[in-house]
Amino acid sequence: MTRYIPGFADRAVPRYTSYPTAAEFTPGVGYRQQAGALGALAPGMPVSLYVHIPYCREICFYCACNTGRIGAPERLERYVDTVMREASLMAEHARARVVSMHFGGGSPNALAPSQFDRLVAHLRTIFACTSNPEIAVELDPRTLDRPYAEALARAGVTRASLGVQTFAPHIQAAIGRLQPYERVFEAVGDLRHAGIGRLSFDLMYGLPHQSIGDLEETISAALRLQPDRISMFGYAHVPSVQPRQRAIDANMLPNGETRFAQSELAFSLLTHAGFSPIGFDHFARPRDPLAQAAATGRLKRNFQGFTDEPGQAVLGLGASAISQFEGLLIQNHKHEGAYRKAIMAGDLAGCRGVVRTADDRMRGQAIERLLCDGAVDLEAIASEYGRRPQAFASALSRLVELEQAGLVEKNGWTLRLTGLGRPYARLAASAFDSARDGSVGQFSRAI
C-alpha cells in the first residue's frame, strides 16, 4: 500500500530525463562542443536520432512543448529543408550508425505526407543506418487519416504514439483539445490497417475539473483500443514558464491528495489489466520490448522518457532538440529563426548545454538506475569511476528523511525504493542531484 505524504508528494523536483537537468544548461556550451562530440563518436557506434517538429495544427492549453501554429504553408517546407541541411552537417562530423529514429513535437503529422517522406528518405541516405531502423512518431489523432497512416507506413514507421490525454469532453474543453473517442478509434484503425501495429497512448492526470471517475473512464476507454504502451503523465502547471497555460484556471486543478489518488488509481487499473509498470509513469504489455528491457536491466531514461533505444548517443535535429553524448548535453536554438540562421551559415545549431564531468556521469547513472530499476548499487557505480562508495555519502544523508518514512531502504551501499516509496521515485533521485539545494525551481510536483 502507498499513502499520500503532503510534504513529499507536493515537493517540486525535476523529471530527470537527463543529468544534469536542462535547468543547468548554459550558453557557454555551444556548437563547437557539439561538433567535437559528434566527431568523437567511434566509427559504427549505434546512435539514435531525435527529430523535433515544432508545429501543430491547433495549440492545446496544457502543452509545455516547444511548438506553435503552422502559419503559412511554406513555413513547413522551409523547416524541412533546414532540418535536412542540419542532418547533412551532422553526418559530416559523425561516423556513427543510426539504429532508430524518433519524430516528436509538436505534432510531426503537421507535416504533409510528402514532406515527412522526403525527410525520412534524406536521413536514411545521409547517415549510415541499419537495414531496418525502428522509426517512431508522435501523432495528433485529430489530424490523422487513412492516407496519412499509409504514407507513414511507406516511410518505414514502425511505432506510433497518440496524444490522447483524456476522453472526458468537459476536460478536453478546459485544456483546449476537443477530441472525441470516435476520432481516436478511427486513428487507431487507420494505423493498424496500414500495418503500424505498435501503438502507445499518452494519458494525463491532474488536469482541470478531472475527477477520479473521469480518469477511470478514460483508462477504461483507452484499454478497449488495446495499445501496447501507455504513458501516464501528471500535468505540470507552470504558467510562468509556459504562458499558454494561463488559459487554464488553476483553481480547477485537483489538489495534491487527489493527484496522488489519480496516480495510484492509474497504477492499479493498468497493472490489473496486465500491463507491466515501467519506471514511475510508463506501462507496457509484458511482451513489449520496453517491458523486456525493464525486466533485464536495459531500460534507459532520456528526453523521450523511459526507452529501450539501443543507441549509445542521441543526435537531436530541429529547433530546441537536445543531443545527448556521454560527456555532453547540448540543445539547439529554440526559435526557428535563430535555428535556421545558424544552419544556413554552415554551423551546427547547438547554443546551450553542459559538459558532463565524471562526477555528473556517476550521479546521472545512479539517478537513472534508481528511476529505471527501483534500486541502485552505489558501490558498483562508484567503482566504475574509480571512486569509493563514500562519494555518495552526502546523497545518502539527504535520504534519511525518506528512509525514516519507509520510502527507501539501504542494505550496505545498495539503495532500494520500497513498495510505499514507489510513487516517490523522483524525490529519492533528487538526493543525488548536486544542483538541488532545497530550492524548488520551476519543476513539476513529485507526484
Side-chain angles (χ1 to χ4, degrees):
M1 296 291 293
T2 59
R3 61 188 176 91
Y4 172 62
I5 307 175
F8 294 151
D10 298 341
R11 196 173 298 176
V13 290
R15 293 186 183 272
Y16 291 112
T17 51
S18 74
Y19 185 80
T21 72
E24 280 66 66
F25 287 11
T26 71
V29 177
Y31 66 91
R32 291 186 177 86
Q33 289 90 341
Q34 186 179 20
L38 286 165
L41 296 176
M45 174 186 287
V47 300
S48 301
L49 298 182
Y50 172 78
V51 185
H52 189 72
I53 309 298
Y55 299 106
C56 292
R57 301 285 175 181
E58 301 177 47
I59 303 300
C60 306
F61 305 152
Y62 70 89
C63 181
C65 297
N66 178 39
T67 188
R69 290 188 183 278
I70 295 172
E74 58 267 22
R75 189 179 186 187
L76 286 180
E77 191 70 16
R78 183 172 63 242
Y79 185 76
V80 170
D81 289 342
T82 307
V83 174
M84 289 171 60
R85 182 172 173 82
E86 182 188 17
S88 297
L89 291 172
M90 277 196 172
E92 291 177 4
H93 293 281
R95 295 169 292 170
R97 177 170 51 92
V98 172
V99 293
S100 66
M101 303 179 193
H102 186 103
F103 292 81
S107 301
N109 56 318
L111 299 179
S114 59
Q115 292 169 330
F116 186 87
D117 185 66
R118 183 162 67 93
L119 180 53
V120 172
H122 181 75
L123 296 176
R124 285 180 179 272
T125 300
I126 204 69
F127 289 105
C129 297
T130 56
S131 56
N132 291 298
E134 174 165 284
I135 302 179
V137 60
E138 299 172 13
L139 299 171
D140 183 343
R142 297 172 297 176
T143 56
L144 182 72
D145 57 19
R146 181 158 293 187
Y148 204 113
E150 292 171 348
L152 292 175
R154 289 194 300 270
V157 170
T158 54
R159 181 180 295 279
S161 176
L162 298 178
V164 174
Q165 321 314 344
T166 178
F167 285 117
H170 66 286
I171 302 174
Q172 291 179 352
I175 63 175
R177 191 182 182 93
L178 296 175
Q179 179 174 275
Y181 174 85
E182 291 74 20
R183 176 79 288 272
V184 179
F185 177 87
E186 291 171 2
V188 167
D190 290 339
L191 289 166
R192 287 180 171 148
H193 182 269
I196 303 174
R198 299 179 180 179
L199 301 182
S200 306
F201 287 176
D202 289 345
L203 304 179
M204 297 185 76
Y205 66 90
L207 293 170
H209 304 285
Q210 189 176 41
S211 68
I212 290 289
D214 292 328
L215 182 61
E216 185 171 10
E217 290 176 8
T218 283
I219 292 174
S220 177
L223 290 175
R224 290 199 296 272
L225 299 176
Q226 301 183 328
D228 302 286
R229 300 178 184 178
I230 289 178
S231 300
M232 178 59 64
F233 299 120
Y235 169 59
H237 190 63
V238 285
S240 61
V241 176
Q242 183 49 265
R244 67 173 65 107
Q245 292 186 348
R246 294 171 188 165
I248 292 177
D249 185 352
N251 295 317
M252 297 298 102
L253 296 173
N255 61 28
E257 188 168 8
T258 301
R259 279 179 63 99
F260 185 89
Q262 289 174 344
S263 174
E264 288 304 285
L265 174 68
F267 182 91
S268 176
L269 292 176
L270 292 173
T271 53
H272 182 75
F275 282 76
S276 298
I278 310 296
F280 57 84
D281 59 8
H282 283 43
F283 300 84
R285 298 194 182 278
R287 292 187 179 181
D288 187 273
L290 191 67
Q292 294 175 356
T296 55
R298 295 180 292 106
L299 189 66
K300 298 179 183 179
R301 185 155 178 80
N302 61 26
F303 287 98
Q304 298 164 46
F306 292 103
T307 177
D308 60 330
E309 286 184 349
Q312 296 177 22
V314 178
L315 311 188
L317 296 161
S320 79
I322 297 175
S323 295
Q324 296 178 280
F325 305 94
E326 181 179 12
L328 179 73
L329 300 173
I330 183 78
Q331 184 172 28
N332 284 352
H333 286 283
K334 178 179 180 179
H335 299 292
E336 181 195 354
Y339 163 71
R340 178 174 170 78
K341 182 178 179 180
I343 298 301
M344 291 300 105
D347 296 323
L348 294 171
C351 69
R352 59 189 296 268
V354 61
V355 175
R356 302 179 74 217
T357 66
D359 186 69
D360 290 335
R361 297 195 297 272
M362 183 179 73
R363 289 173 179 271
Q365 188 173 341
I367 289 172
E368 183 176 42
R369 295 310 352 132
L370 184 62
L371 294 181
C372 290
D373 305 333
V376 56
D377 185 338
L378 299 175
E379 186 171 22
I381 290 177
S383 178
E384 286 185 37
Y385 292 88
R387 305 280 298 277
R388 296 172 61 83
Q390 285 77 7
F392 289 113
S394 62
L396 293 181
S397 68
R398 297 171 67 184
L399 284 165
V400 170
E401 192 179 15
L402 274 65
E403 186 177 15
Q404 291 173 342
L407 305 183
V408 299
E409 59 184 17
K410 294 184 295 185
N411 182 7
W413 291 100
T414 297
L415 179 72
R416 184 180 305 277
L417 295 169
T418 65
L420 185 67
R422 171 187 51 77
Y424 299 90
R426 287 166 52 209
L427 184 59
S430 70
F432 296 91
D433 186 344
S434 64
R436 305 279 79 78
D437 59 1
S439 59
V440 297
Q442 295 294 341
F443 302 113
S444 59
R445 292 180 180 182
I447 303 172

